[in-house]
Amino acid sequence: MTTTLYTPDRDEFAALLEGEPRYRLDQVWAGLYTQLAAPEQISNVPKALRERLASELPTALTQVVRRVSDGGDTVKYLWELHDGSRVETVLMLYPDRVTVCVSSQAGCAMACGFCATGQAGFTRHLTVGEIVEQVVVAARDARQMDRRLANVVFMGMGEPMANEAAVWSAVERFHGAIGLSARHLTISTVGLVPGIHKLTERPLPVNLAVSLHAANDTLRDELVPINKRYPLDALMDACAQYLAAKGRRLSFEWALIADVNDRASDAKELARLCRRFRLPAHVNLIPLNPTPGYPTVGSPPARVQEFRDLLVSLGVNATVRRNRGTDIDAACGQLAAGQPVTLRTRPA
Ligand code: SAH
């Protein structure tokens, strides 16, 4: 594994700086994670050390494409890694908050048919350095736009709970070094039960999002194949334990697919599931984004609204998520680095 600039944690960095005065570690750490500077730019550190750091600790991400949409409010980055694999990151600027959506793996092994990353298959896990760098770059970009990045969601490419150790080290870095609150960090999982248990034991109370999409095992087996290994009962138990341990917000992601999981019976089934497990979950509804390998379309807006209203009338908290970055293939489930880069014009 290559060591890159954002790989070492604070103790490992201390070891790298052996022989330097003790305050050097604070200077370099603050330079990297508070000022968000490149080593060459950490001006209170001697030039020779800056040069040494820059040459011994190369960055992990080479920018292939940086594309902006939604009037400048969505930025998608396509990165190339040392081995040629490619991953994507999406920065989203809202009036009241700035959020970055990061990738945890190159590709994904979960094979959800409606997801572009799932269609492309698995390449490898990302390292902690590769995950952290995505956030540092986005935070730096946000700062240049006079905004402060405060939220990280693991909703880019990959299944974070299949790469739990690296994801957790990254979470600790976001919290301890960059200073992001655990309340503002969200890990989204397809429902890997052992990963949720592991997360329950971890100290920081991050938000858990579960990509549910179906509230019965027959349909969920089809949409989210890993459900065959970890069916809904086991998944809901794991979620309940997480909630009990953390008192944090739990959300369910539900991509609305026309005539597949958007009927009144689906909403009722979901409400029953939440009731049965006493899960005060918040449901995020999003009409399915089109991807090349899945013929079915997303639910039309009226159906989305009906589905939401029905859930709410059944006592389930639900909101419709606005679709960001559709025109630059940066919307949920559209991240697929293997795809040729297509330049599109924005719809009028
Ligand atoms: N592997 C993790 C995180 C990445 S995906 C997970 O599954 O939770 C982030 C969200 O986008 C998931 O809820 C996923 O199911 C959803 N998604 C995937 N493809 C989509 C599509 N085409 N349209 C809308 N949402 C999609």
Side-chain angles (χ1 to χ4, degrees), residues 75-269:
V75 183
K76 178 174 96 161
Y77 312 84
L78 171 63
W79 305 111
E80 186 157 294
L81 312 176
H82 291 305
D83 61 351
S85 354
R86 290 178 169 197
V87 295
E88 303 185 4
T89 307
V90 184
L91 174 66
M92 291 162 289
L93 302 126
Y94 299 93
D96 59 335
R97 67 188 192 282
V98 179
T99 300
V100 65
C101 177
V102 297
S103 295
S104 55
Q105 298 179 316
C108 185
M110 298 297 116
C112 303
F114 55 86
C115 173
T117 310
Q119 290 158 18
F122 178 67
T123 306
R124 69 167 169 87
H125 294 309
L126 297 194
T127 65
V128 57
E130 289 163 341
I131 299 172
V132 171
E133 192 170 328
Q134 294 174 62
V135 171
V136 169
V137 173
R140 191 184 287 152
D141 248 14
R143 190 175 285 179
Q144 277 180 351
M145 297 181 243
D146 284 328
R147 300 294 305 272
R148 194 181 85 81
L149 175 83
N151 305 281
V152 179
V153 296
F154 280 88
M155 294 186 184
M157 303 170 75
E159 169 47 44
M161 289 298 93
N163 186 17
E164 202 269 346
V167 163
W168 192 259
S169 303
V171 161
E172 287 184 323
R173 200 77 54 82
F174 303 154
H175 179 261
I178 303 181
L180 304 182
S181 147
R183 287 201 314 282
H184 293 156
L185 308 176
T186 301
I187 296 182
S188 180
T189 177
V190 72
L192 294 188
V193 167
I196 298 174
H197 287 320
K198 183 85 203 162
L199 205 61
T200 307
E201 290 161 19
R202 298 287 197 184
L204 294 172
V206 299
N207 300 310
L208 178 65
V210 173
S211 299
L212 202 59
H213 308 312
N216 72 71
D217 282 316
T218 312
L219 180 58
R220 198 163 191 270
D221 282 354
E222 231 174 82
L223 295 177
V224 181
I226 198 70
N227 190 69
K228 292 180 202 135
R229 181 141 13 128
Y230 305 110
L232 280 167
D233 274 10
L235 176 56
M236 293 300 112
D237 268 341
C239 290
Q241 285 174 34
Y242 188 80
L243 269 190
K246 306 285 182 185
R248 272 257 68 86
R249 186 165 139 154
L250 172 69
S251 47
F252 291 142
E253 309 294 305
W254 194 282
L256 283 160
I257 311 172
D259 300 320
V260 171
N261 66 354
D262 68 347
R263 298 153 303 183
S265 56
D266 298 300
K268 288 178 190 159
E269 209 166 49

Side-chain angles (χ1 to χ4, degrees), residues 256-267 285 287 298-310 320:
L256 283 160
I257 311 172
D259 300 320
V260 171
N261 66 354
D262 68 347
R263 298 153 303 183
S265 56
D266 298 300
L285 300 169
S299 310
R303 181 66 73 87
V304 172
Q305 203 52 46
E306 270 168 33
F307 195 89
R308 184 208 164 254
D309 293 347
L310 181 51
V320 177

